[in-house]
Structure formats: structure tokens, C-alpha cells
Amino acid sequence: MERKITAGRDPSNDIHVSESYDGVSRTHANIYYSNGRISFEDISTNGSYVNNNFIHRSKIEIFPNDVVMLGKQYVLPWSTINNALSLPSQRPTEPKGQAFGAPYPGSQTPPPASGFSDSYTSGRSLDRELNAWNWGAFFFGWLWGIFNGVYWPLVALIPYVGWAAALIINIVLGIKGNAWAWKGRYWKDFSHFRRVQKSWAMWALYVFIASVVLCITSLTLFFSVIKALIENYG
């Protein structure tokens, strides 16, 4: 007998995802259990990822330890799927090779999908990553926003009003930048997202160091000129 559960932000779903994950549809996916097999059907607007492979409006078989992601925000834990389907913690699988969606041989635990580490086993783990401080967004402000799909910080370019609010805008970007950028543009996977944000942070560090060196050099030169003037005309 086939069993079916649903997942999404609507409270009526068997797996209810928090409203804070606005990239997840109200009813995002159907999950089926039949004859010892589990299938995942995406019915969402933004699509889903299984082992970092994008699927949209399609149905595939999934296996224990596959990384199932709703939209680009919520990693669906297998414990949640098993509980909703009233299944044991892990069903046995037969070796069928390593093709997309195929089970891993024996009881061996597969390596995490590309772009994910072992820590990404729940929506909460990903949420912590997205709520971390973003130094690139804080330092570069609207420039960072253009390249990361976050365009409202361009208000900082408005004469006087925007200039006065620039520091507040950059602080807000530092706090919320990761979450906004994750939703704002296309990323191959979470690893790609992290690499790009790390590059922005490194460039922020380089520019900061260069600015400090330039400031110290300028002050040293300024005081040297003043000292020379005093000695010559004092």
C-alpha cells in the first residue's frame, strides 16, 4: 500500500517548514513510500535539490543519507522523513551502483553531497550559517549588493540622505547579508555560496589593510612636511 506525505510551509503539511524559509513553497513536495521504496516529487515554484542535483516538477527515488533540500534554504532531515512516514530509521538497500539517486552499497554511509558537509543535516544548521556576520557585505555595502542580487542598498548613493544612512545600511548588510544573498541570486550549491562570500571577506580585509597603510603613510608624510617647514621657517 502506498503512503504519501507532503512538505512545505503550510501548517496542513505532514512536514511543516517554518515561515522564515520563504524560498520553500506552501506545499513544496510530495514524498511517497511504496513496496519498500521512497520517492520524492517536487511540485514547487523554486525547485529542490537531491544530492546537489536540481529537480523541478519531477519525481525521483531517494535513499537514506541522500541530501534533500527544499528550495535553496531548507535541508530536510531523514529522521523527519522517516517519522512522517512512520518508517524505521533507515531502510535496507541493495547495491545498484553510484548513478544519480542510486543507493550506496551495503550499509556504508555515503560521503556528503558536493557542496554540503556533515553539519548540514537540518534546516537549523543551514539557518545558523545564513545568519552569520558577512564582512564583505558590511565593508563594500551597495557594491557587494549588486553582485549578490541585493539591490536596495543602492539607496546609499542618494545624495545626503543615502550618505548619512550609509553606515547603518552597511551594518544591516553585515547582519542579514548572507540570508539575502542566498535568496538573491543563483548559486551552484552552498559550497559555491560560501566560497564567493569568503572571497568578498578576504577582499574587504585586503582593502582595509591597504587603507590603514595608506593612512599611516599619508600621516607620516604630512608630519614630515610640517616638521621641515618648522625647521626652515621657524
Coordinates of all heavy atoms in Angstrom, one line a residue, residues 63-124:
F63 N 17.1 7.8 -1.3 CA 17.6 6.8 -0.5 C 18.2 7.4 0.8 O 18.6 8.5 0.8 CB 18.7 6.0 -1.2 CG 18.2 5.3 -2.5 CD1 18.2 6.1 -3.7 CD2 17.7 4.1 -2.5 CE1 17.8 5.5 -4.9 CE2 17.2 3.5 -3.7 CZ 17.2 4.2 -4.8
P64 N 18.3 6.5 1.9 CA 18.8 7.1 3.1 C 20.2 7.7 2.9 O 21.0 7.2 2.2 CB 18.9 5.8 4.0 CG 17.9 4.9 3.4 CD 17.9 5.1 2.0
N65 N 20.3 8.9 3.6 CA 21.6 9.7 3.6 C 21.7 10.5 2.3 O 22.7 11.3 2.2 CB 22.8 8.9 3.8 CG 22.9 8.2 5.1 OD1 22.6 8.8 6.1 ND2 23.2 6.9 5.2
D66 N 20.7 10.4 1.4 CA 20.7 11.5 0.3 C 20.4 12.8 1.0 O 19.7 12.9 2.0 CB 19.5 11.2 -0.7 CG 19.9 10.1 -1.7 OD1 21.0 9.6 -1.7 OD2 19.0 9.6 -2.4
V67 N 21.0 13.8 0.4 CA 20.8 15.2 0.9 C 19.6 15.8 0.2 O 19.7 16.1 -1.0 CB 22.0 16.1 0.8 CG1 21.7 17.5 1.3 CG2 23.2 15.5 1.6
V68 N 18.5 16.0 0.8 CA 17.3 16.5 0.2 C 17.1 17.9 0.7 O 17.0 18.2 1.9 CB 16.0 15.6 0.5 CG1 14.8 16.2 -0.1 CG2 16.3 14.2 0.1
M69 N 17.0 18.9 -0.3 CA 16.9 20.3 0.1 C 15.7 20.9 -0.6 O 15.6 20.8 -1.8 CB 18.2 21.0 -0.4 CG 18.4 22.4 0.2 SD 20.1 23.0 -0.2 CE 20.2 24.3 1.0
L70 N 14.9 21.6 0.2 CA 13.7 22.3 -0.4 C 14.1 23.7 -0.7 O 14.6 24.4 0.1 CB 12.6 22.3 0.7 CG 12.2 20.9 1.2 CD1 11.0 21.1 2.2 CD2 11.8 19.9 0.1
G71 N 13.9 24.0 -2.0 CA 14.4 25.3 -2.5 C 15.9 25.4 -2.3 O 16.6 24.4 -2.6
K72 N 16.4 26.5 -1.9 CA 17.9 26.6 -1.6 C 18.1 27.0 -0.1 O 19.1 27.5 0.3 CB 18.5 27.7 -2.5 CG 18.5 27.4 -3.9 CD 19.5 28.3 -4.7 CE 19.0 29.7 -4.7 NZ 19.9 30.6 -5.4
Q73 N 17.1 26.6 0.7 CA 17.1 27.0 2.1 C 17.1 25.9 3.1 O 17.8 25.9 4.1 CB 15.9 28.0 2.4 CG 16.0 29.3 1.7 CD 14.8 30.2 2.1 OE1 13.7 29.9 1.7 NE2 15.1 31.2 2.8
Y74 N 16.2 25.0 2.9 CA 15.9 24.0 4.0 C 16.3 22.6 3.6 O 15.8 22.0 2.7 CB 14.3 24.0 4.3 CG 14.0 23.2 5.5 CD1 14.1 23.7 6.8 CD2 13.5 21.9 5.3 CE1 13.7 22.9 7.9 CE2 13.2 21.1 6.4 CZ 13.3 21.6 7.7 OH 12.9 20.9 8.8
V75 N 17.2 22.1 4.4 CA 17.7 20.7 4.3 C 16.8 19.8 5.1 O 16.6 20.0 6.3 CB 19.2 20.5 4.7 CG1 19.6 19.1 4.6 CG2 20.1 21.5 3.9
L76 N 16.1 18.9 4.4 CA 15.1 18.0 5.0 C 15.8 16.8 5.6 O 16.3 15.9 4.9 CB 14.1 17.6 4.0 CG 12.9 16.8 4.4 CD1 12.1 17.6 5.4 CD2 12.0 16.4 3.2
P77 N 15.8 16.7 7.0 CA 16.5 15.6 7.6 C 15.8 14.3 7.4 O 14.5 14.2 7.3 CB 16.4 15.9 9.1 CG 16.0 17.4 9.2 CD 15.2 17.6 7.9
W78 N 16.6 13.2 7.2 CA 16.0 11.9 7.0 C 15.2 11.4 8.2 O 14.2 10.7 8.1 CB 17.1 10.9 6.7 CG 17.2 10.7 5.2 CD1 18.1 11.4 4.4 CD2 16.4 9.9 4.3 NE1 17.8 11.0 3.1 CE2 16.8 10.2 3.0 CE3 15.3 9.1 4.5 CZ2 16.2 9.5 1.9 CZ3 14.7 8.5 3.4 CH2 15.2 8.7 2.1
S79 N 15.6 11.9 9.4 CA 14.8 11.5 10.6 C 13.4 12.0 10.5 O 12.4 11.4 10.9 CB 15.5 12.0 11.9 OG 15.6 13.4 11.8
T80 N 13.2 13.2 9.9 CA 11.9 13.8 9.8 C 11.1 13.1 8.7 O 9.9 12.8 8.9 CB 12.1 15.3 9.3 OG1 12.8 16.0 10.3 CG2 10.7 15.9 9.1
I81 N 11.7 12.7 7.6 CA 11.0 11.9 6.6 C 10.6 10.5 7.2 O 9.4 10.1 7.0 CB 11.9 11.6 5.4 CG1 12.3 13.0 4.7 CG2 11.3 10.7 4.4 CD1 13.3 12.8 3.6
N82 N 11.5 9.9 7.9 CA 11.1 8.6 8.5 C 10.0 8.7 9.5 O 9.1 7.8 9.5 CB 12.4 8.0 9.2 CG 13.4 7.5 8.2 OD1 13.1 7.2 7.1 ND2 14.7 7.6 8.6
N83 N 10.1 9.7 10.3 CA 9.0 9.9 11.3 C 7.6 10.2 10.7 O 6.6 9.6 11.1 CB 9.4 11.0 12.3 CG 10.5 10.7 13.2 OD1 10.8 9.5 13.4 ND2 11.2 11.7 13.7
A84 N 7.7 11.0 9.6 CA 6.4 11.3 9.0 C 5.8 10.1 8.2 O 4.6 10.0 8.1 CB 6.6 12.5 8.0
L85 N 6.7 9.3 7.7 CA 6.2 8.1 7.0 C 6.0 6.9 8.0 O 5.6 5.8 7.5 CB 7.2 7.7 5.9 CG 7.3 8.6 4.7 CD1 8.5 8.2 3.8 CD2 6.0 8.4 3.9
S86 N 6.4 7.1 9.2 CA 6.4 6.0 10.3 C 7.2 4.8 9.8 O 6.8 3.7 9.9 CB 4.9 5.6 10.5 OG 4.1 6.6 10.9
L87 N 8.5 5.1 9.4 CA 9.4 4.1 9.0 C 10.5 3.9 10.0 O 10.7 4.8 10.9 CB 10.0 4.5 7.7 CG 9.1 4.7 6.5 CD1 9.9 5.1 5.2 CD2 8.3 3.4 6.2
P88 N 11.3 2.8 10.0 CA 12.5 2.7 10.8 C 13.5 3.8 10.4 O 13.3 4.5 9.4 CB 13.0 1.3 10.4 CG 11.8 0.6 9.8 CD 11.0 1.6 9.1
S89 N 14.5 3.9 11.2 CA 15.5 5.0 11.0 C 16.2 4.9 9.6 O 16.5 5.9 9.0 CB 16.5 5.0 12.1 OG 17.2 3.7 12.1
Q90 N 16.3 3.7 9.1 CA 17.0 3.5 7.8 C 16.5 2.2 7.2 O 16.6 1.2 7.8 CB 18.5 3.6 7.9 CG 19.2 3.5 6.5 CD 20.6 3.9 6.6 OE1 21.1 4.4 7.6 NE2 21.4 3.5 5.7
R91 N 16.1 2.2 5.9 CA 15.6 1.0 5.3 C 16.8 0.4 4.5 O 17.7 1.1 4.0 CB 14.5 1.3 4.3 CG 14.9 2.2 3.1 CD 13.6 2.6 2.4 NE 14.0 3.6 1.3 CZ 14.1 3.2 0.1 NH1 14.0 2.0 -0.3 NH2 14.4 4.1 -0.9
P92 N 16.9 -0.9 4.4 CA 18.0 -1.6 3.7 C 17.9 -1.3 2.2 O 16.8 -1.1 1.7 CB 17.8 -3.1 4.0 CG 16.3 -3.2 4.3 CD 15.9 -1.9 5.0
T93 N 19.1 -1.3 1.6 CA 19.1 -1.1 0.1 C 20.1 -2.1 -0.5 O 21.0 -2.6 0.2 CB 19.6 0.3 -0.2 OG1 20.9 0.5 0.4 CG2 18.7 1.4 0.3
E94 N 19.8 -2.5 -1.7 CA 20.7 -3.4 -2.5 C 21.7 -2.6 -3.3 O 21.3 -1.5 -3.8 CB 19.9 -4.3 -3.4 CG 18.9 -5.2 -2.6 CD 19.7 -6.2 -1.8 OE1 20.9 -6.6 -2.2 OE2 19.2 -6.7 -0.8
P95 N 22.9 -3.0 -3.5 CA 23.9 -2.3 -4.3 C 23.4 -2.2 -5.7 O 23.0 -3.2 -6.3 CB 25.1 -3.2 -4.2 CG 25.0 -4.0 -3.0 CD 23.5 -4.2 -2.8
K96 N 23.4 -1.0 -6.2 CA 22.9 -0.7 -7.6 C 23.8 0.3 -8.3 O 23.4 1.0 -9.2 CB 21.5 -0.2 -7.6 CG 20.4 -1.2 -7.1 CD 19.1 -0.6 -7.3 CE 18.0 -1.5 -6.8 NZ 16.6 -1.0 -6.9
G97 N 25.1 0.4 -7.8 CA 26.0 1.3 -8.5 C 25.9 2.7 -7.9 O 25.2 2.9 -6.9
Q98 N 26.5 3.7 -8.5 CA 26.6 5.0 -8.0 C 25.9 6.0 -8.9 O 26.3 7.2 -8.8 CB 28.1 5.4 -7.8 CG 28.8 4.5 -6.8 CD 28.3 4.6 -5.4 OE1 27.9 5.6 -5.0 NE2 28.2 3.4 -4.8
A99 N 25.0 5.6 -9.7 CA 24.3 6.6 -10.5 C 23.4 7.5 -9.7 O 23.1 7.2 -8.5 CB 23.4 5.8 -11.5
F100 N 23.0 8.6 -10.2 CA 22.2 9.6 -9.5 C 21.0 8.9 -8.9 O 20.2 8.3 -9.6 CB 21.8 10.7 -10.5 CG 20.8 11.7 -9.9 CD1 21.1 12.4 -8.7 CD2 19.6 11.8 -10.5 CE1 20.2 13.2 -8.2 CE2 18.6 12.7 -9.9 CZ 18.9 13.4 -8.8
G101 N 20.8 9.1 -7.6 CA 19.7 8.5 -7.0 C 19.8 7.1 -6.5 O 18.9 6.6 -5.9
A102 N 20.9 6.4 -6.9 CA 21.1 5.0 -6.6 C 21.6 4.9 -5.2 O 22.3 5.7 -4.6 CB 22.1 4.4 -7.5
P103 N 21.2 3.8 -4.5 CA 21.7 3.6 -3.1 C 23.1 3.2 -3.1 O 23.7 2.8 -4.1 CB 20.8 2.4 -2.6 CG 20.5 1.6 -3.9 CD 20.3 2.7 -5.0
Y104 N 23.7 3.4 -1.9 CA 25.1 3.1 -1.8 C 25.3 1.7 -1.3 O 24.4 1.2 -0.6 CB 25.8 4.1 -0.7 CG 25.9 5.5 -1.3 CD1 24.8 6.3 -1.2 CD2 27.0 5.9 -1.9 CE1 24.8 7.6 -1.7 CE2 27.1 7.2 -2.4 CZ 26.0 8.0 -2.3 OH 26.0 9.3 -2.8
P105 N 26.3 1.0 -1.7 CA 26.5 -0.5 -1.4 C 26.4 -0.8 0.1 O 27.0 0.0 0.9 CB 27.8 -0.8 -2.0 CG 28.1 0.2 -3.1 CD 27.4 1.5 -2.5
G106 N 25.8 -1.9 0.4 CA 25.8 -2.4 1.8 C 25.2 -1.4 2.7 O 24.3 -0.6 2.5
S107 N 25.9 -1.3 3.9 CA 25.5 -0.4 5.0 C 26.4 0.8 5.0 O 26.4 1.6 6.0 CB 25.5 -1.1 6.3 OG 26.8 -1.6 6.6
Q108 N 27.3 0.9 4.0 CA 28.2 2.0 4.0 C 27.5 3.3 3.9 O 26.6 3.5 3.2 CB 29.2 1.9 2.8 CG 30.2 3.0 2.7 CD 31.0 2.9 1.4 OE1 30.8 2.0 0.7 NE2 31.9 3.8 1.2
T109 N 27.9 4.3 4.7 CA 27.4 5.7 4.7 C 28.0 6.4 3.6 O 29.3 6.5 3.5 CB 27.6 6.4 6.0 OG1 27.0 5.6 7.1 CG2 27.0 7.8 6.0
P110 N 27.3 7.0 2.7 CA 27.9 7.7 1.5 C 28.5 9.0 2.0 O 28.1 9.6 3.0 CB 26.7 8.0 0.6 CG 25.5 8.1 1.6 CD 25.8 7.1 2.6
P111 N 29.5 9.5 1.2 CA 30.0 10.8 1.5 C 29.0 11.9 1.3 O 28.0 11.7 0.6 CB 31.2 11.0 0.5 CG 30.7 10.1 -0.7 CD 30.0 8.9 0.0
P112 N 29.1 13.0 2.0 CA 28.1 14.1 1.8 C 28.1 14.6 0.4 O 29.1 14.5 -0.3 CB 28.6 15.2 2.8 CG 30.0 14.9 3.0 CD 30.1 13.4 2.9
A113 N 27.0 15.0 -0.1 CA 26.9 15.6 -1.5 C 27.8 16.8 -1.6 O 28.1 17.5 -0.7 CB 25.4 15.9 -1.8
S114 N 28.2 17.0 -2.9 CA 29.1 18.1 -3.1 C 28.4 19.4 -2.7 O 27.3 19.7 -3.0 CB 29.4 18.2 -4.6 OG 30.1 19.4 -5.0
G115 N 29.2 20.2 -2.0 CA 28.7 21.5 -1.5 C 28.1 21.4 -0.1 O 27.7 22.5 0.4
F116 N 28.0 20.3 0.5 CA 27.5 20.1 1.8 C 28.5 19.4 2.7 O 29.2 18.5 2.2 CB 26.1 19.4 1.8 CG 25.1 20.0 1.0 CD1 24.9 19.8 -0.3 CD2 24.3 21.0 1.6 CE1 23.9 20.4 -1.1 CE2 23.3 21.6 0.9 CZ 23.1 21.3 -0.5
S117 N 28.5 19.7 4.0 CA 29.3 19.0 4.9 C 28.4 18.2 5.8 O 27.2 18.4 5.8 CB 30.2 19.9 5.7 OG 29.4 20.7 6.6
D118 N 29.0 17.4 6.7 CA 28.1 16.6 7.6 C 27.3 17.5 8.5 O 26.3 17.0 9.0 CB 29.0 15.7 8.4 CG 29.7 14.6 7.6 OD1 29.1 14.2 6.6 OD2 30.8 14.2 8.0
S119 N 27.7 18.7 8.7 CA 26.9 19.6 9.6 C 25.6 20.0 9.0 O 24.7 20.4 9.7 CB 27.7 20.8 10.0 OG 28.0 21.6 8.8
Y120 N 25.4 19.9 7.7 CA 24.2 20.3 7.0 C 23.2 19.2 7.0 O 22.8 18.6 6.0 CB 24.4 20.8 5.6 CG 25.4 22.0 5.6 CD1 26.6 21.9 5.0 CD2 25.1 23.2 6.3 CE1 27.5 23.0 5.0 CE2 25.9 24.2 6.3 CZ 27.1 24.2 5.7 OH 28.0 25.2 5.7
T121 N 22.7 18.8 8.2 CA 21.7 17.8 8.3 C 20.4 18.3 8.7 O 19.5 17.5 8.8 CB 22.2 16.7 9.4 OG1 22.4 17.4 10.6 CG2 23.5 16.1 8.9
S122 N 20.2 19.6 8.9 CA 18.9 20.1 9.2 C 18.8 21.5 8.8 O 19.8 22.2 8.5 CB 18.7 20.0 10.7 OG 19.5 21.0 11.4
G123 N 17.6 22.0 8.7 CA 17.4 23.4 8.3 C 18.0 24.4 9.3 O 18.4 25.4 9.0
R124 N 18.0 23.9 10.6 CA 18.6 24.8 11.6 C 20.1 25.0 11.4 O 20.6 26.1 11.6 CB 18.4 24.2 13.0 CG 16.9 24.2 13.5 CD 16.8 23.6 14.9 NE 15.4 23.6 15.3 CZ 15.1 23.1 16.5 NH1 16.0 22.6 17.4 NH2 13.8 23.2 16.9

